[in-house]
Amino acid sequence: MTANGNKMNYKPRETFTSSLGTIAATLGSAIGLGNIWKFPALTGENGGAAFLFIYLFCVVFIGLPVMLAEFIIGRKTRSNAIGAFKKLEPKKPWFLVGWMGVLSSILILAFYTTVVGWILAYIFKALSGSLSGIDANGAVAVFEKVTANPVSAVLWQLAVFALISLIIMAGVQKGIERITKTLLPLLFVLLLICDIRALTLPGAKEGLSFLFNPDFSKVTGMVVLIAMGLSFFKLSIGMGTMLTYGSYMQDEDNMLATAGRVVIADTVVSLMAGMAVFPAVFAFGFEPASGPPLLFFTIPMVFNSMPLGQVFLVLFFVLAFIATIGAMISMLEVPVAFMHEEWGLKRNTAVIVTVLVIASVGSLATLSGSILSHVLILGKNFFDLFDFTASNILMPLGGLIIAVYTGWKIRYKDIQEELSNRGAIEQENMIRLFSLIVRYITPIAILIIMLNGLGIIKF
Ligand code: PHE
């Protein structure tokens, strides 16, 4: 910090270096545990295809517009989530949405790193061969062993924090972006192999019809809210991540195209994970509503049933781990960019402060699987509470505020200028459509789904 408390000591803001870099970073943020772990778990718990269809509706009419709105605000202000609104609306409370984003980032990372810890543990289990040849009961037993030991579960989570801090502080983020760029396609290929094996298992058909034949009779307000929450979580929106990444975009980046590609790729990867998991659920006699362990039950079984399975299994968890890095970095970026730009902290100091806060909250989530399993708040353990609060309350609320701001406070001319890169790209109809959706459909849909899901109003 300079003597007058100013923030003049940091370099001009960096931007992503190419439009491919922009897509890689944004996609790196979107693709992660949400696709391979959360999407199958929630789809299984909430009845399958009907949930999937509601989720897809939310992706198109809520997720995509909110992502674009965040890009617009970010690049227009070239600021972090809190600073952006302070710039746009000085002395008005809009910046509070940025604070909600910081809180969401802490809550999500708290339980996200728990699950990444499980992934690390599974890499070692797979390497040691202890997953080879196990049956369905064995798969359940392994998962219980990994999560029920409080000491090792917390140590794995701490290992995740250490790795991620090292990656950020060593300034190798760019390197990671490059690695992600090459390894994400590999993850895609591995999922494809997994899909082919799963779809040829006896009983696969049942899994497919679970995923694609909707039965809307099981849909409740809460199910819709959870589907919407998943779309926020999946696309990293409603908490300022995409706003912050928008602020790093170059003037020439095509935001509509970027958002469109990211949303499509993210959805495809989620569906591919679903097509690997659900056939296996039915083939091996698991419960579709098993919840968080679902991925960890099924994937070892799928690979066990193919040649070279153990090699693929290690590779799968390694790639899954790599996919989570981009997501974790993007979450950390919300508080880190804020502390760096608004409080003048050095980036590394900001990383340490954030990680220390999250690590202490995070162990509560991890210990929910063991010694804290009986501590329930509103009927939920810490793990579920953090997830529910961030995904189904804070992020949708953030998305609502961002959509309202973009639809009603930013002039059409400014939206047009950002999305067309000052007239350089011809896409007037799309821009008009976007501004209509973000003004009316998105905010109304979020509001109705939230009020109905939380039982405040019954439709
Ligand atoms: N979208 C990420 C995933 O699917 C999670 C995430 C949420 C990342 C919010 C950033 C912000 O794993």
Side-chain angles (χ1 to χ4, degrees):
M1 253 218 259
T2 50
N4 58 4
N6 219 322
K7 324 141 206 156
M8 291 166 49
N9 60 342
Y10 58 86
K11 290 178 280 177
R13 279 177 122 253
E14 286 188 28
T15 57
F16 295 129
T17 42
S18 66
S19 59
L20 196 60
T22 304
I23 293 189
T26 331
L27 201 58
S29 167
I31 293 188
L33 290 179
N35 308 64
I36 55 169
W37 165 74
K38 203 174 192 208
F39 172 82
L42 289 184
T43 307
E45 278 179 329
N46 295 292
F51 178 84
L52 171 63
F53 284 105
I54 300 166
Y55 169 73
L56 292 176
F57 169 88
C58 294
V59 165
V60 175
F61 291 103
I62 298 173
L64 189 58
V66 171
M67 184 183 286
L68 274 169
E70 291 198 32
F71 283 168
I72 292 173
I73 297 172
R75 192 170 70 178
K76 201 168 145 50
T77 57
R78 295 250 174 249
S79 245
N80 62 81
I82 295 170
F85 285 100
K86 285 197 173 155
K87 253 188 203 169
L88 289 168
E89 301 287 331
K91 306 215 167 61
K92 300 234 178 85
W94 290 97
F95 69 92
L96 290 175
V97 70
W99 275 109
M100 281 165 40
V102 170
L103 184 60
S104 299
S105 144
I106 294 172
L107 290 176
I108 295 180
L109 275 166
F111 74 89
Y112 203 89
T113 47
T114 305
V115 183
V116 182
W118 299 345
I119 294 209
L120 282 187
Y122 265 73
I123 294 177
F124 284 86
K125 291 251 176 256
L127 275 174
S128 74
S130 56
L131 294 171
S132 138
I134 50 170
D135 58 7
N137 288 334
V140 174
V142 170
F143 183 78
E144 274 169 7
K145 218 162 132 198
V146 166
T147 52
N149 180 333
V151 179
S152 67
V154 169
L155 286 178
W156 281 118
Q157 185 182 30
L158 289 179
V160 175
F161 281 119
L163 280 171
I164 197 79
S165 319
L166 277 178
I167 289 172
I168 298 183
M169 297 205 290
V172 289
Q173 257 155 298
K174 290 247 159 62
I176 291 291
E177 256 166 51
R178 225 170 302 132
I179 298 175
T180 316
K181 237 184 284 179
T182 35
L183 290 189
L184 276 185
L186 209 57
L187 178 67
F188 184 83
V189 173
L190 206 64
L191 272 174
L192 202 64
I193 297 176
C194 222
D195 281 353
I196 294 171
R197 173 68 270 220
L199 291 173
T200 50
L201 286 168
K205 260 216 208 98
E206 231 179 307
L208 271 191
S209 69
F210 180 80
L211 192 57
F212 293 116
N213 281 341
D215 168 10
F216 283 95
S217 67
K218 299 208 181 69
V219 174
T220 61
M222 182 52 86
V223 167
V224 182
L225 177 62
I226 292 173
M228 177 172 76
L230 178 63
S231 72
F232 275 88
F233 184 90
K234 265 312 323 92
L235 300 174
S236 318
I237 52 169
M239 56 171 268
T241 315
M242 290 302 176
L243 190 157
T244 313
Y245 274 21
S247 77
Y248 300 141
M249 276 189 195
Q250 296 181 315
D251 291 333
E252 309 77 61
D253 279 336
N254 182 340
M255 298 200 247
L256 271 164
T258 306
R261 284 181 193 146
V262 168
V263 166
I264 290 172
D266 185 75
T267 308
V268 168
V269 174
S270 301
L271 288 174
M272 286 176 70
M275 287 195 292
V277 167
F278 287 108
V281 165
F282 289 92
F284 300 117
F286 293 112
E287 184 47 55
S290 301
L294 197 63
L295 175 82
F296 297 90
F297 289 168
T298 48
I299 292 296
M301 301 291 292
V302 173
F303 285 115
N304 259 332
S305 63
M306 69 166 98
L308 286 183
Q310 293 313 300
V311 179
F312 283 134
L313 185 59
V314 174
L315 206 59
F316 179 88
F317 283 117
V318 169
L319 289 174
F321 173 69
I322 291 171
T324 66
I325 296 179
M328 291 192 286
I329 288 179
S330 74
M331 276 183 258
L332 278 171
E333 195 57 29
V334 175
V336 168
F338 158 71
M339 284 189 232
H340 176 56
E341 296 178 2
E342 305 293 309
W343 292 350
L345 289 189
K346 288 209 181 78
R347 277 189 65 94
N348 281 357
T349 318
V351 171
I352 295 175
V353 172
T354 312
V355 166
L356 284 179
V357 172
I358 298 170
S360 40
V361 187
S363 51
L364 293 176
T366 305
L367 295 173
S368 301
S370 52
I371 48 177
L372 294 183
S373 60
H374 59 281
V375 182
L376 301 180
I377 298 166
L378 299 170
K380 293 183 172 21
N381 62 27
F382 284 112
F383 186 105
D384 294 337
L385 184 72
F386 294 164
D387 185 11
F388 190 90
T389 311
S391 305
N392 300 339
I393 295 178
L394 288 174
M395 291 161 97
L397 213 52
L400 176 64
I401 297 171
I402 289 166
V404 167
Y405 188 83
T406 310
W408 296 88
K409 300 283 283 185
I410 302 185
R411 285 175 310 172
Y412 181 71
K413 209 177 106 284
D414 291 334
I415 293 181
Q416 197 184 26
E417 232 180 67
E418 279 300 330
L419 290 183
S420 71
N421 293 349
R422 287 166 193 77
I425 327 170
E426 218 13 280
Q427 38 198 8
E428 192 54 34
N429 288 340
M430 291 299 279
I431 298 176
R432 211 164 275 142
L433 186 64
F434 163 74
S435 85
L436 269 178
I437 293 179
V438 84
R439 196 175 162 102
Y440 299 106
I441 299 183
T442 311
I444 293 173
I446 300 179
L447 201 63
I448 292 180
I449 294 175
M450 278 193 85
L451 293 176
N452 187 44
L454 296 172
I456 299 171
I457 290 179
K458 276 281 159 229
F459 287 96

